[in-house]
Amino acid sequence: MQRRARKSGTITGTVAGVSALGMAAVLTGCGLSGGSDDVTLRLVAADYGDSGANSSQKYWDGLVEAYEKKHPGVTVDVTVHSWNDVDAKVKEMVDAGKAPDMAQIGSYADYAAAGKLYKVSDLLSIPVEADFVPQLANAGEVRGVGYGMPFASSTRLLFYNKTLFAKAGIQAPTTWAELAEDAKALKRDGVAYPYALPLGPEEAQAETLQWMLSGGGGYTQTASAYSLDSAENVKTFDWLRDDLVGKGLTGPVAPGKLNRATAFAAFAAGDVGMLNGHPSLMKAAAAKGVKFGMVPMPGAEGPSKVSMGVADWMTAFRQNGHAEEVGDFLDFVYDEKNVLAFSREYDLLPVTGSASLTMGAAPQDADLKPFLDELPLSETYPVGRTSWAKVSADIKQQIGRAVAPGGDPAAVLGELQTAATTLDVGVGG
């Protein structure tokens, strides 16, 4: 059996696995054989489908069938859960001492900090690891060591309703001032949500980051600490409070109570002039006959130089000791054709450079190209910080107060910063 070099400089076998407290026995000779050496890998994954017809279970079943045909000594058992449940299901398994070999979930830092995950370099072959989009690979690191493997990614663009814009005689905005003027024109025409600002508890951390980035700020403007209450962030939320929300340009629902799903549904119904959206909104809007355009998020002085990027993660637990088998399977998962197939099925962006190049040049993927162009300029959540889950939850619950009538952005952002700093100290970052 052909062996392959890994980043550590050691020589390891072909098939891979993940789970338990360290690798089991070192494989020798030609690697895994049949019979008593057969290995079953367990993967828990999230469902990206919106119906039974395109459930992620179908994607994984097809991929596993193709893999097992060429690897008769390895069985891969995949269980798919909704995004509402998958992180909790994995946590239950880990807490019960029954960690899966692999988990495709929304975060990884807590498991990495607890020493439960394999390093990426212990699993993937050198060409596969090197193929990850750099921004995403970096986001999968804890203190410079990769533990999270990006699995799916997305960026955000400003969607606008072409029909409503044409009626109002306006063009897509490139600056905050133009966005506010467009919103005023849309309001005069009776548009319910001139600009939909979803700062409700569903996904406020996304809208918040997109606006912070467009104002030259962000969640972590230094590598060592949060910067929620930076001067740039305060200025951004002052503008939102005074120039959008305060002038009645964000619709009938208070931003702090407006959730992303509601805003997207309103856009698909033709009731929203502008909002930040990701690729899935294209299909929903087109299905309802909404004619829309997409442009980079406007900034204070021109188009934003940095877009918000989002990634979901593949992790591999050390508990079961199948590093060799897991690594080989994941090399297959990240093969260009499989990455492209998944990305195209669910309107997501590839996490590898090779698949990104192919998608960028393919006519069939032209609708995703604007999002793909933003990926090299994107910034993700600080998911490598074990405090991020709690900080994110605090943002979801509190940020809406910053733009409410009489709201004080500096005070709200200061409270969030204090809490984030305390959490960082408590969990070690």
Side-chain angles (χ1 to χ4, degrees), residues 49 68 86 97 102 138 351 362 391 414:
E68 290 178 346
V86 66
M102 294 162 283
N138 293 340
V351 296
V391 172

Side-chain angles (χ1 to χ4, degrees), residues 185-205:
L186 292 165
K187 182 180 181 180
R188 285 195 295 268
D189 278 356
V191 175
Y193 294 87
Y195 178 88
L197 183 66
L199 295 178
E202 179 194 358
E203 202 189 32
Q205 83 284 2

Side-chain angles (χ1 to χ4, degrees), residues 33 54 56 104 183 208 314:
S33 59
N54 69 343
S56 292
Q104 187 269 298
T208 297
M314 178 69 75

Side-chain angles (χ1 to χ4, degrees), residues 39-62:
V39 170
T40 296
L41 303 176
R42 292 181 300 159
L43 166 63
V44 177
D47 194 353
Y48 290 81
D50 54 16
S51 67
N54 69 343
S55 166
S56 292
Q57 188 71 55
K58 291 188 175 182
Y59 171 82
W60 285 110
D61 287 349

Side-chain angles (χ1 to χ4, degrees), residues 38 43 56 80-82 103 125 310 318 322 334 359 388 391 418:
D38 287 357
L43 166 63
S56 292
V80 171
H81 296 283
S82 76
S125 62
V310 178
R318 300 174 62 230
H322 298 311
Y334 286 107
M359 177 174 280
W388 169 243
V391 172
T418 298

